Structure formats: structure tokens, C-alpha cells
């Protein structure tokens, strides 16, 4: 998916990864009240991070893909399934297609690693967003960081 005047790329440079973490801090910690000590975890080091940047160079959104053992711990143990997480779009960029572009970039990264599906844990208010992108909910609602979530999966 392409969004005019927005570039979505894998965050490989240290400055890109720092931009990802800054967006997460703004959205999850400042806006949603997630404690900072649980927002960042040991999975960040081995995850594939994606970053959306506006034409002015301002970071607009981020997300990450866990794969291998890190993902298996979140998806029931299937090594062929990746785990999409930490998807965050800045308030100014919401409604512009940035979130969907980030999801598609994460799916592309999953395909490149030979994964056959992507799981995620969606905040319940975001279920419709992910359903429009082809994700299907499964299992019961559960709390995460004090907010209700549902597991979802999309076969690639």
C-alpha cells in the first residue's frame, strides 16, 4: 500500500530505530498511559522494525515484526507465524493510511523471512481496522497493559 508523500521502510539505521521508539513513546506511553518499563522489551533487539516518514522527514508511525522463537512465544509455538506488534501512528497522521501501509510493510517483511501467517494482539477498539486488512480474531478477549485485546491472524 502506498500513501502519498509517505515513505515506509525497514528501520535499519540507529536513527530510524530511535525514531520508532520515539513514536511508540508518544502514542503508547504519553497518550495511552502504558508504563514505559513495559513498552520496551527484550524482543526489540531482534525484531524487524518499520518506520513511516513524511516528506518533511517527520516520523509518522512504526510497527515491529517478531519472528522465530520470539514470535512463537506469542502465537502458540508455530515457527511459520510472525507476530506483528507495537503498531503506532502519531495523532497527526491518523486516518491517512499510514497504519495500513505499516501493516503491509510488516507483512512483506514476514514473507521475506518465509513466514506463512502473521498474528497480532489488537486493542479491541482497533479490531475493525485489522479486519479490513484481512485479519481474523480468535480466542477470548484478554487484558494487556490494562487494556482489552483480542488475538488476530492473517494468512499470507
Amino acid at each position: 500500500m502506498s500513501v502519498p508523500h509517505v515513505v515506509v521502510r525497514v528501520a535499519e539505521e540507529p536513527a530510524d530505530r530511535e525514531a520508532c521508539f520515539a513514536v511508540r513513546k508518544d502514542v503508547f506511553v504519553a497518550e495511552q498511559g502504558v508504563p514505559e518499563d513495559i513498552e520496551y522489551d527484550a524482543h526489540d533487539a531482534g525484531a524487524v522494525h518499520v518506520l513511516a516518514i513524511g516528506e518533511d522527514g517527520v516520523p509518522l508511525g512504526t510497527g515491529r515484526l517478531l519472528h522465530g522463537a520470539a514470535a512463537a512465544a506469542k502465537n502458540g509455538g508455530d515457527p511459520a507465524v510472525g507476530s506483528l506488534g507495537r503498531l503506532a501512528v502519531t495523532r497527526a497522521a491518523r486516518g491517512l493510511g499510514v497504519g495500513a501501509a505499516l501493516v503491509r510493510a510488516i507483512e512483506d517483511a514476514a514473507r521475506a523471512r518465509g513466514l506463512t501467517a502473521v498474528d497480532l494482539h489488537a486493542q479491541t477498539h482497533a479490531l475493525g481496522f485489522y479486519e479490513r486488512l484481512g485479519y481474523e480474531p480468535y480466542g477470548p478477549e484478554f487484558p494487556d497493559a490494562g487494556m482489552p485485546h483480542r488475538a488476530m491472524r492473517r494468512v499470507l
Side-chain angles (χ1 to χ4, degrees):
M1 170 170 277
S2 175
V3 179
H5 312 294
V6 174
V7 173
V8 179
R9 65 177 184 247
V10 173
E12 295 182 19
E13 299 299 321
D16 283 349
R17 290 181 66 113
E18 288 304 316
C20 292
F21 296 149
V23 170
R24 284 169 48 183
K25 185 173 184 176
D26 286 348
V27 173
F28 296 125
V29 177
E31 283 184 40
Q32 297 183 358
V34 173
E36 193 165 356
D37 62 326
I38 67 170
E39 173 50 33
Y40 308 100
D41 60 25
H43 298 303
D44 280 324
V48 176
H49 297 268
V50 295
L51 176 65
I53 300 281
E55 65 184 344
D56 57 1
V58 173
L60 303 174
T62 187
R64 76 177 187 187
L65 172 70
L66 302 181
H67 51 92
K74 293 182 171 285
N75 68 24
D78 188 339
V81 178
S83 178
L84 183 159
R86 303 304 202 268
L87 188 75
V89 176
T90 62
R91 184 173 282 147
R94 290 180 196 149
L96 303 177
V98 173
L102 287 162
V103 169
R104 296 305 186 219
I106 290 167
E107 292 169 351
D108 289 346
R111 281 186 201 90
R113 285 157 180 78
L115 302 177
T116 59
V118 174
D119 270 18
L120 58 87
H121 294 165
Q123 293 179 16
T124 55
H125 71 82
L127 288 172
F129 166 77
Y130 290 111
E131 287 173 331
R132 286 188 296 278
L133 294 173
Y135 287 80
E136 297 180 9
Y138 66 89
E141 187 175 293
F142 60 92
D144 189 4
M147 293 173 273
H149 284 69
R150 289 279 310 273
M152 302 185 83
R153 177 172 286 182
R154 179 169 187 256
V155 175
L156 300 176

